[in-house]
Amino acid sequence: MKNMERAYNIAKDAYAKIGVDTELAMKKLSKIPVSLHCWQGDDVGGFENPDAGLDGGIMATGNYPGKARNPEQLRMDLDKALSLIPGKHRLNLHAIYGEFKGKKVDRDEIAPEHFSNWIAWAKSKKMGLDFNPTFFSHPNAASGFTLSSSNEKIRKFWVRHCKASRKIAEVMGKKLGSTVVTNIWIPDGYKDIPVDRKKPRETLKKSLDEIFEQKINPKYNLDAVECKLFGIGSESCVVGSHEFYMGYAVANKKLLCLDAGHFHPTEVISDKISSALTFLDEILLHVSRPVRWDSDHVVILNDELNAIAQEIIRGNYLDRVHIGLDFFDASINRIAAWVIGTRCMIKALLMALLEPISALKKIEQSGDFTSRLAILEELKTMPFGAIWDYYCMKSSVPVGMSWLNDVKKYEDDVLSKR
Ligand code: RNT
Ligand code: ZN
């Protein structure tokens, strides 16, 4: 404790010398919510049918023991993860995580009552919720097409599902006094080269228009649309592409969801944030980590994560960017996955908050790119770790790697007995 404070004070002075107020940075950081995705806790399984497999071109590989099998377990695991993460955050739920009490409730029949336990849980923790209709792992998605389906019955089913989801989100927003972001991601696409790319895209537009005919107060719910380049089994054409949803979001004042794993391998979402926000009021991020064909590895503190955080902070976009996480790894302890990914996101935000931004901008505007490069590199070895440790301590969560002991103990006491 003493050493940590000493280290903090030395670091604080070092940052003060370059014009950075570490206290202010930590204060700002404590107000940035990250939306934790519930689906890391059970490999995107949900509670409709515990034996149903995951489809839709996404995949959780691995079979690490102890995954949550019911809502109580998932909430317990989330409680554990949240106790190891500094700050106040949100929970992002998928529609398949409703509590149906063994009853068959089809996706177009889901209602707020199926989420009342989640709402009560969030309320007790003063947390906000976010929401997602689930367009995969369902017989009506088996053809690979949902909102862009040429089968009118199927298409209408998914339109109803999405409308029901937005109604649930509205109630969540009202009850929790915190705006819900409802994100639409559909898996629709072709494995092989299609003849007609136009028809499914026109159909998708029509479905979205029908969904949004149902007006919901933006105080309670905001809608986002998530684009993707390809999925497993939709390698040749994804209906909801970047251009499609960028266009749709701009034309209809929706949020665009940028998932870090949904673009060409050398394309990065950090470079898209300021472009998208030139034309859109708000965006949603799915912070993830693409590796080869997989778009959903656990987030780590890499260059792109830093760049994402820098773009948000340098652009002063905090009230226009909703930060959500999206990864699922079933090969490691699932609670650790949440903790690692979320702590990394917060670390990246803190690093970005510790930059001498206005000085750097001035240097850049003056054309002194030599100083820009030199300073950006020197910043990398500033004593960031001391600020991070102090922030964790002040937030009453474990400092450094000590959180791992908590997770291991929880694994022994709880997970290994499931
Ligand atoms: C899939 C999308 C989508 C999902 C979640 C489960 O590629 O990223 O966001 O990961 O909805
Ligand atoms: Zn995503």
Side-chain angles (χ1 to χ4, degrees):
M1 184 106 154
K2 266 246 156 69
N3 277 347
M4 210 179 310
E5 270 174 35
R6 210 175 302 144
Y8 172 71
N9 282 321
I10 294 169
K12 183 180 167 179
D13 286 350
Y15 280 104
K17 279 209 183 90
I18 58 162
V20 173
D21 180 344
T22 53
E23 296 289 327
L24 187 65
M26 290 188 292
K27 199 168 154 211
K28 283 190 186 161
L29 184 65
S30 68
K31 299 202 176 101
I32 310 177
V34 174
S35 196
L36 271 80
H37 52 312
C38 75
W39 53 92
Q40 165 58 56
D42 75 333
D43 317 336
V44 211
F47 307 128
E48 274 178 346
N49 170 6
D51 304 318
L54 175 61
D55 62 20
I58 53 178
M59 213 157 126
T61 52
N63 57 355
Y64 201 85
K67 82 166 181 187
R69 287 173 198 287
N70 56 50
E72 289 73 32
Q73 290 180 352
L74 189 59
R75 279 190 282 269
M76 205 178 153
D77 292 356
L78 277 162
D79 284 338
K80 186 80 228 169
L82 288 166
S83 74
L84 307 173
I85 295 165
K88 190 145 238 23
H89 301 290
R90 308 175 61 83
L91 178 71
N92 193 8
L93 282 172
H94 242 285
I96 46 173
Y97 290 81
E99 291 173 62
F100 309 111
K101 300 190 181 115
K103 267 207 270 136
K104 166 97 182 112
V105 177
D106 212 344
R107 300 265 172 99
D108 58 344
E109 295 161 348
I110 55 167
E113 69 201 63
H114 303 120
F115 293 86
S116 56
N117 289 342
W118 283 113
I119 296 172
W121 176 84
K123 192 158 205 156
S124 75
K125 304 175 83 72
K126 296 199 174 66
M127 272 174 78
L129 292 174
D130 294 304
F131 203 58
N132 306 259
T134 311
F135 294 96
F136 49 83
S137 306
H138 187 282
N140 284 350
S143 71
F145 290 85
T146 62
L147 291 179
S148 74
S149 174
S150 56
N151 177 328
E152 195 58 7
K153 243 177 109 182
I154 298 226
R155 190 185 74 79
K156 284 278 186 199
F157 172 84
W158 291 112
V159 168
R160 286 197 303 278
H161 171 57
C162 203
K163 286 186 165 179
S165 296
R166 294 177 75 236
K167 276 279 163 205
I168 293 166
E170 179 187 32
V171 170
M172 287 173 166
K174 244 185 224 172
K175 291 212 163 152
L176 297 171
S178 172
T179 314
V180 173
V181 177
T182 297
N183 179 51
I184 298 180
W185 172 72
I186 59 166
D188 303 27
Y190 288 105
K191 179 185 176 76
D192 227 323
I193 308 155
V195 174
D196 190 354
R197 294 169 190 261
K198 177 178 157 197
K199 174 91 185 315
R201 289 190 168 130
E202 287 176 350
T203 307
L204 175 55
K205 179 186 179 296
K206 179 169 114 179
S207 296
L208 293 171
D209 290 348
E210 284 174 27
I211 288 162
F212 297 132
E213 266 167 22
Q214 173 192 50
K215 294 288 167 235
I216 293 183
N217 188 338
K219 195 171 139 199
Y220 304 128
N221 179 65
L222 291 170
D223 301 287
V225 285
E226 181 179 8
C227 64
K228 191 167 180 174
L229 178 67
F230 80 93
I232 305 168
S234 57
E235 290 85 0
S236 297
C237 172
V238 161
V239 181
S241 62
H242 178 51
E243 291 71 15
F244 180 91
Y245 281 131
M246 181 77 191
Y248 194 88
V250 169
N252 298 282
K253 292 204 163 303
K254 297 296 166 196
L255 278 70
L256 179 71
C257 173
L258 294 171
D259 184 307
H262 286 192
F263 294 89
H264 284 281
T266 58
E267 239 182 307
V268 281
I269 64 165
S270 54
D271 187 41
K272 300 181 188 296
I273 294 172
S274 54
S275 292
L277 286 175
T278 304
F279 300 97
L280 295 168
D281 291 338
E282 297 178 39
I283 59 170
L284 168 66
L285 299 183
H286 269 188
V287 181
S288 183
R289 177 167 53 110
V291 179
R292 313 273 181 210
W293 59 267
D294 179 52
S295 67
D296 303 290
H297 272 53
V298 178
V299 164
I300 58 171
L301 191 59
N302 58 10
D303 285 351
E304 174 57 2
L305 187 68
N306 280 320
I308 290 169
Q310 286 159 354
E311 282 302 308
I312 299 172
I313 303 299
R314 291 176 186 169
N316 210 7
Y317 287 138
L318 274 174
D319 51 355
R320 297 173 63 194
V321 178
H322 302 258
I323 306 172
L325 302 174
D326 184 11
F327 49 79
F328 26 98
D329 190 335
S331 74
I332 61 173
N333 180 301
R334 294 170 184 80
I335 292 146
W338 265 321
V339 176
I340 294 165
T342 315
R343 281 175 70 115
C344 283
M345 183 72 243
I346 301 168
K347 278 183 200 171
L349 288 164
L350 179 57
M351 278 185 167
L353 285 163
L354 291 170
E355 286 185 333
I357 296 170
S358 46
L360 281 166
K361 283 186 181 168
K362 257 193 215 132
I363 287 168
E364 181 167 275
Q365 270 147 28
S366 76
D368 183 1
F369 302 150
T370 310
S371 301
R372 180 183 63 185
L373 184 62
I375 295 169
L376 285 175
E377 287 309 299
E378 289 304 326
L379 281 174
K380 290 181 179 171
T381 46
M382 290 285 289
F384 159 78
I387 315 284
W388 166 248
D389 286 348
Y390 185 78
Y391 179 70
C392 287
M393 185 190 82
K394 283 279 169 192
S395 311
S396 310
V397 302
V399 173
M401 41 193 105
S402 64
W403 64 264
L404 188 56
N405 301 330
D406 280 52
V407 171
K408 292 280 182 194
K409 185 166 186 310
Y410 186 76
E411 182 169 314
D412 288 345
D413 296 348
V414 181
L415 300 182
S416 67
K417 304 203 166 105
R418 282 184 184 161

XYZ file of all heavy atoms in Angstrom, residues 222-260:
290
model
N -31.826 2.992 -27.944
C -31.195 3.413 -29.192
C -30.892 2.151 -29.988
O -30.594 1.108 -29.414
C -29.872 4.137 -28.904
C -29.964 5.505 -28.226
C -28.575 5.970 -27.791
C -30.597 6.534 -29.170
N -30.967 2.257 -31.310
C -30.740 1.078 -32.146
C -29.420 1.169 -32.876
O -29.074 2.220 -33.412
C -31.856 0.965 -33.185
C -33.215 0.862 -32.526
O -33.515 -0.205 -31.964
O -33.966 1.856 -32.540
N -28.728 0.048 -32.920
C -27.474 -0.014 -33.668
C -27.561 -1.148 -34.694
O -28.290 -2.119 -34.483
C -26.304 -0.260 -32.715
N -26.820 -0.999 -35.784
C -26.768 -2.052 -36.804
C -25.305 -2.431 -37.027
O -24.446 -1.558 -37.179
C -27.442 -1.597 -38.120
C -28.961 -1.594 -37.971
C -26.977 -0.210 -38.578
N -25.028 -3.726 -37.030
C -23.633 -4.200 -37.033
C -23.266 -4.868 -38.357
O -23.857 -5.869 -38.763
C -23.444 -5.203 -35.886
C -22.014 -5.732 -35.784
C -21.813 -6.710 -34.630
O -22.818 -7.098 -33.991
O -20.660 -7.101 -34.384
N -22.252 -4.341 -38.977
C -21.827 -4.889 -40.265
C -20.765 -5.974 -40.082
O -20.161 -6.111 -39.024
C -21.258 -3.779 -41.140
S -19.767 -3.027 -40.463
N -20.554 -6.735 -41.153
C -19.550 -7.793 -41.100
C -19.055 -8.093 -42.512
O -19.813 -7.967 -43.470
C -20.170 -9.044 -40.466
C -19.174 -10.134 -40.108
C -19.793 -11.200 -39.213
C -18.761 -12.272 -38.878
N -19.254 -13.256 -37.916
N -17.814 -8.486 -42.589
C -17.240 -8.797 -43.897
C -17.553 -10.218 -44.326
O -17.969 -10.476 -45.448
C -15.722 -8.594 -43.841
C -14.955 -8.919 -45.102
C -15.296 -7.953 -46.223
C -13.449 -8.895 -44.829
N -17.333 -11.164 -43.408
C -17.640 -12.561 -43.708
C -17.792 -13.329 -42.411
O -17.335 -12.906 -41.356
C -16.543 -13.210 -44.564
C -15.334 -13.644 -43.775
C -15.239 -14.957 -43.283
C -14.303 -12.769 -43.502
C -14.134 -15.356 -42.533
C -13.197 -13.168 -42.753
C -13.113 -14.456 -42.262
N -18.493 -14.467 -42.505
C -18.569 -15.375 -41.372
C -18.248 -16.776 -41.857
O -18.043 -16.982 -43.060
N -18.223 -17.719 -40.944
C -17.983 -19.107 -41.356
C -19.235 -19.572 -42.082
O -20.318 -19.606 -41.502
C -17.719 -20.004 -40.140
C -16.571 -19.441 -39.308
C -17.393 -21.442 -40.596
C -16.429 -20.097 -37.963
N -19.092 -19.862 -43.352
C -20.256 -20.245 -44.144
C -20.901 -19.079 -44.876
O -21.876 -19.256 -45.598
N -20.373 -17.888 -44.682
C -20.864 -16.739 -45.471
C -19.654 -15.967 -45.997
O -19.551 -14.754 -45.869
C -21.775 -15.842 -44.633
O -21.094 -15.397 -43.470
N -18.742 -16.741 -46.592
C -17.457 -16.159 -47.000
C -17.564 -15.258 -48.233
O -16.770 -14.340 -48.421
C -16.437 -17.278 -47.293
C -15.965 -18.042 -46.060
C -16.896 -19.181 -45.657
O -17.932 -19.382 -46.337
O -16.591 -19.879 -44.664
N -18.535 -15.550 -49.101
C -18.556 -14.821 -50.376
C -19.385 -13.551 -50.348
O -19.139 -12.626 -51.131
C -19.066 -15.726 -51.492
O -18.182 -16.812 -51.653
N -20.380 -13.533 -49.500
C -21.228 -12.330 -49.455
C -21.983 -12.268 -48.142
O -22.675 -13.208 -47.768
C -22.227 -12.363 -50.620
S -23.463 -11.042 -50.531
N -21.803 -11.190 -47.423
C -22.622 -10.941 -46.233
C -23.581 -9.806 -46.593
O -23.158 -8.769 -47.112
C -21.738 -10.585 -45.014
C -22.553 -9.877 -43.937
C -21.109 -11.848 -44.437
N -24.856 -10.048 -46.348
C -25.863 -9.064 -46.767
C -25.645 -7.734 -46.025
O -25.615 -6.670 -46.628
C -27.289 -9.619 -46.518
C -28.331 -8.605 -46.969
C -27.475 -10.954 -47.241
N -25.471 -7.823 -44.718
C -25.265 -6.613 -43.919
C -23.807 -6.206 -43.922
O -23.095 -6.351 -42.926
N -23.365 -5.692 -45.034
C -21.951 -5.295 -45.176
C -21.736 -3.901 -44.571
O -22.684 -3.234 -44.155
C -21.599 -5.264 -46.655
O -22.428 -4.288 -47.280
N -20.492 -3.460 -44.592
C -20.179 -2.140 -44.030
C -20.904 -1.020 -44.783
O -21.539 -0.152 -44.187
C -18.666 -1.911 -44.082
C -18.267 -0.561 -43.570
N -18.691 -0.065 -42.359
C -17.495 0.415 -44.125
C -18.196 1.154 -42.179
N -17.470 1.463 -43.231
N -20.824 -1.063 -46.106
C -21.451 -0.005 -46.893
C -22.957 0.005 -46.667
O -23.591 1.052 -46.582
C -21.161 -0.197 -48.392
C -19.712 0.038 -48.789
C -18.764 -1.055 -48.307
O -19.232 -2.145 -47.906
O -17.550 -0.815 -48.301
N -23.516 -1.215 -46.566
C -24.961 -1.310 -46.369
C -25.383 -0.600 -45.081
O -26.263 0.258 -45.072
C -25.408 -2.784 -46.338
C -26.896 -2.920 -46.128
C -27.763 -2.968 -47.205
C -27.418 -2.940 -44.836
C -29.139 -3.030 -47.003
C -28.795 -3.004 -44.629
C -29.657 -3.056 -45.715
N -24.735 -0.967 -43.988
C -25.192 -0.422 -42.700
C -24.733 1.010 -42.472
O -25.401 1.774 -41.783
C -24.730 -1.312 -41.547
C -25.578 -2.551 -41.365
C -24.991 -3.798 -41.234
C -26.974 -2.469 -41.289
C -25.765 -4.943 -41.034
C -27.756 -3.603 -41.098
C -27.138 -4.833 -40.968
O -27.903 -5.955 -40.775
N -23.590 1.368 -43.030
C -23.164 2.777 -42.919
C -24.229 3.636 -43.605
O -24.675 4.651 -43.064
C -21.793 2.951 -43.591
C -21.230 4.354 -43.534
S -20.550 4.771 -41.909
C -20.312 6.536 -42.102
N -24.633 3.182 -44.774
C -25.676 3.910 -45.506
C -26.971 3.931 -44.731
O -27.609 4.979 -44.576
N -27.347 2.779 -44.200
C -28.618 2.698 -43.487
C -28.589 3.590 -42.239
O -29.548 4.311 -41.952
C -28.964 1.252 -43.091
C -30.421 1.156 -42.667
C -31.426 0.907 -43.607
C -30.801 1.390 -41.347
C -32.772 0.889 -43.236
C -32.131 1.377 -40.962
C -33.112 1.119 -41.910
O -34.440 1.117 -41.540
N -27.494 3.531 -41.510
C -27.387 4.307 -40.269
C -27.434 5.812 -40.564
O -28.122 6.563 -39.869
C -26.100 3.943 -39.533
N -26.744 6.241 -41.592
C -26.736 7.669 -41.928
C -28.131 8.107 -42.382
O -28.657 9.124 -41.934
C -25.684 7.980 -43.022
C -25.855 9.395 -43.558
C -24.274 7.794 -42.479
N -28.737 7.308 -43.234
C -30.038 7.695 -43.788
C -31.143 7.669 -42.742
O -32.125 8.402 -42.858
C -30.392 6.771 -44.956
N -30.995 6.821 -41.727
C -32.090 6.630 -40.765
C -31.738 7.030 -39.339
O -32.463 6.708 -38.399
C -32.549 5.169 -40.793
C -33.088 4.785 -42.151
O -34.218 5.120 -42.487
N -32.263 4.138 -42.960
N -30.606 7.703 -39.195
C -30.168 8.174 -37.866
C -30.094 7.036 -36.856
O -30.584 7.131 -35.725
C -31.085 9.296 -37.364
C -30.965 10.584 -38.176
C -31.384 11.793 -37.372
C -30.922 13.113 -37.958
N -29.471 13.247 -38.150
N -29.499 5.957 -37.256
C -29.268 4.832 -36.335
C -27.801 4.843 -35.924
O -26.977 5.534 -36.534
C -29.607 3.505 -37.030
C -31.060 3.381 -37.433
C -31.972 3.385 -36.227
C -33.422 3.600 -36.598
N -34.252 3.987 -35.432
N -27.471 4.028 -34.925
C -26.071 3.883 -34.558
C -25.447 2.824 -35.455
O -26.108 1.828 -35.785
C -25.930 3.432 -33.102
C -26.023 4.515 -32.013
C -27.444 5.038 -31.902
C -25.558 3.964 -30.678
N -24.213 3.042 -35.830
C -23.482 2.009 -36.551
C -22.666 1.252 -35.519
O -22.043 1.857 -34.655
C -22.550 2.654 -37.586
C -21.698 1.703 -38.409
C -22.558 0.924 -39.404
C -20.606 2.471 -39.170
N -22.693 -0.071 -35.593
C -21.848 -0.856 -34.693
C -20.608 -1.312 -35.453
O -20.712 -1.999 -36.469
C -22.610 -2.070 -34.145
S -21.546 -3.185 -33.193
N -19.465 -0.902 -34.949
C -18.196 -1.309 -35.559
C -17.578 -2.390 -34.688
O -17.210 -2.139 -33.539
C -17.245 -0.119 -35.655
C -17.649 1.022 -36.591
C -16.715 2.220 -36.392
C -17.607 0.565 -38.046
N -17.491 -3.598 -35.226
C -16.865 -4.710 -34.519
C -15.434 -4.833 -35.032
O -15.203 -4.926 -36.250
C -17.666 -5.996 -34.772
C -17.124 -7.184 -33.985
O -15.917 -7.458 -34.082
O -17.916 -7.854 -33.300
N -14.476 -4.867 -34.099
C -13.059 -4.869 -34.479
C -12.674 -6.076 -35.335
O -11.660 -6.051 -36.036
C -12.192 -4.822 -33.229
